[in-house]
Amino acid sequence: MSQTSTKPRLTTSAMIASIADEGQETRSAPFGHALVELARQRQDIVGMTADLAKYTDLHIFAQAFPTRFFQMGMAEQLLMGAAGGMAKEGFVPFVTTYAVFATRRAYDFIHQVIAEEHLNVKIAAALPGLTTGYGPSHQATEDMAIMRGVPGMTIIDPCDALDIEQAVPAMAAHNGPVYLRLLRGKVPVVLDKYDYQFEIGKARLLEEGRDVLLITSGIMTMRALAVAEQLRKENISVAVLHSPTIKPLDEETILAQAAKPGRLVMTAENHSAVGGLSEAVASLLLRKGVYADFDTINLPDAFLDAGALPTLHDRYGISTAAMIAKIKARLG
């Protein structure tokens, strides 16, 4: 007779994996709900996707506004071309797909159809960086590097549900194309404790600290706040500067914080070491003559493994524990 195993099931890889820690407060589908709220106020808002409405939370918009929703099928290039056409007719399309498909498969259409004419297309790209365990085909670890090279493209890497909810109307009000690294499903809420207000092109100091300055974006801001809390118990004081806009960068705020003497300055991003926040900040400091003890936390310039996200985040150095270990090693 077979016996039922009492062992807990192993954490396994999942294409749509949660980034929330156990017991962490979350909000369901903040992007989809924020877009519905915006569309109630603005008749020019439309939603478009390439067969991924359910997996980018756009299905919520589709249910609320079926006549303003356009399912383009598995054709990302067509999706971007059609979005450009909609923008030319005065609409503001919010376009969703996976980040790998938007940046790698449809890049030329974004560049030529949308960006060259500075059209009001807002691209919400899910599974940014290492937020899926399905390997290089779905891990958009170089998406910001690709999009930073597009003239006039605004790039947003939100931290949590609140960031996303506030970014959606800001994106619609912004003149020109926007690329949003979309967190979908049950998204953690952490910024509500800081009287936070998202603004395109602005960074926000969330925590003060005398020993380390962490300049962060996306889910790494969430991790940085946890790092600051844990290191405080060891009398290591960590400042956290959240930079949700990668392009344009808030140069004034970053320079002012990085110029404060006596601190280790580190960037932390869920992106390749090539072409993302870290290189943008390093270039800024060098160009402006601000010299700091500088280091980075990011993903390697490599094709990453498939597997369970907690394992991968530890392996590639972007887990809370890995961040703490690197900071303590650098401080000696």
Side-chain angles (χ1 to χ4, degrees):
M1 180 182 294
S2 62
Q3 294 182 342
T4 302
S5 173
T6 59
K7 292 182 179 180
R9 299 181 69 180
L10 294 175
T11 302
T12 57
S13 170
M15 181 181 292
I16 308 299
S18 174
I19 58 169
D21 293 332
E22 187 175 352
Q24 190 172 38
E25 180 187 353
T26 62
R27 291 180 191 167
S28 180
F31 169 75
H33 290 296
L35 192 60
V36 166
E37 182 60 30
L38 178 66
R40 290 195 179 108
Q41 304 167 30
R42 293 185 50 165
Q43 296 299 311
D44 57 346
I45 301 297
V46 297
M48 307 176 71
T49 192
D51 202 39
L52 286 172
K54 180 180 178 181
Y55 301 104
T56 58
D57 294 341
L58 195 63
H59 66 292
I60 295 170
F61 177 89
Q63 293 164 4
F65 298 101
T67 62
R68 293 158 65 179
F69 169 73
F70 300 89
Q71 172 59 268
M72 307 305 293
M74 293 184 183
E76 290 81 10
Q77 296 171 342
L78 172 64
L79 171 67
M80 298 302 174
M86 295 287 277
K88 279 192 169 186
E89 293 300 316
F91 295 98
V92 179
F94 276 74
V95 175
T96 74
T97 184
Y98 289 156
V100 288
F101 301 151
T103 57
R104 303 206 301 243
R105 187 173 295 174
Y107 175 81
D108 194 43
F109 287 75
I110 293 172
H111 188 283
Q112 293 298 111
V113 176
I114 295 170
E116 187 176 5
E117 298 195 45
H118 202 65
L119 298 177
N120 274 324
V121 177
K122 319 303 175 180
I123 302 165
L127 304 187
L130 188 52
T131 53
T132 172
Y134 267 29
S137 65
H138 285 76
Q139 293 164 350
T141 58
E142 70 282 78
D143 62 325
M144 290 197 295
I146 293 170
M147 300 309 286
R148 277 183 68 215
V150 179
M153 180 66 70
T154 293
I155 302 172
I156 300 171
D157 190 18
C159 163
D160 73 344
L162 183 62
D163 231 1
I164 294 170
E165 290 165 355
Q166 295 181 359
V168 167
M171 291 167 65
H174 177 77
N175 181 30
V178 180
Y179 178 82
L180 172 76
R181 300 185 98 202
L182 176 62
L183 305 174
R184 51 83 56 204
K186 292 184 178 180
V187 180
V189 183
V190 297
L191 295 177
D192 57 329
K193 303 176 183 66
Y194 299 93
D195 190 28
Y196 179 80
Q197 181 61 52
F198 172 85
E199 186 178 351
I200 289 177
K202 295 296 181 182
R204 170 76 184 274
L205 187 67
L206 302 177
E207 294 282 354
E208 298 274 4
R210 66 179 182 276
D211 300 314
V212 183
L213 169 65
L214 286 177
I215 304 171
T216 62
S217 70
I219 65 170
M220 299 307 288
T221 295
M222 196 184 318
R223 299 269 166 87
L225 293 170
V227 166
E229 182 179 1
Q230 292 188 40
L231 287 180
R232 194 177 297 121
K233 301 172 185 175
E234 302 182 41
N235 201 32
I236 299 173
S237 180
V238 178
V240 178
L241 179 63
H242 176 44
S243 179
T245 312
I246 308 302
K247 185 182 178 182
L249 206 61
D250 186 349
E251 297 189 354
E252 181 179 358
T253 300
I254 291 172
L255 289 170
Q257 288 295 322
K260 293 182 178 181
R263 294 196 296 187
L264 169 64
V265 176
M266 298 187 77
T267 54
E269 61 182 328
N270 175 31
H271 186 271
S272 163
V274 177
L277 175 67
S278 297
E279 286 197 351
V281 171
S283 172
L284 170 65
L285 300 184
L286 186 61
R287 285 187 286 108
K288 299 298 183 179
V290 173
Y291 303 105
D293 183 9
F294 182 80
D295 207 341
T296 66
I297 294 172
N298 40 33
L299 299 171
D301 177 24
F303 294 108
L304 307 186
D305 295 334
L309 279 182
T311 301
L312 296 177
H313 285 189
D314 273 331
R315 180 174 300 172
Y316 294 117
I318 66 169
S319 68
T320 301
M323 291 174 68
I324 289 173
K326 182 163 187 175
I327 290 169
K328 291 172 72 172
R330 283 292 274 106
L331 292 175

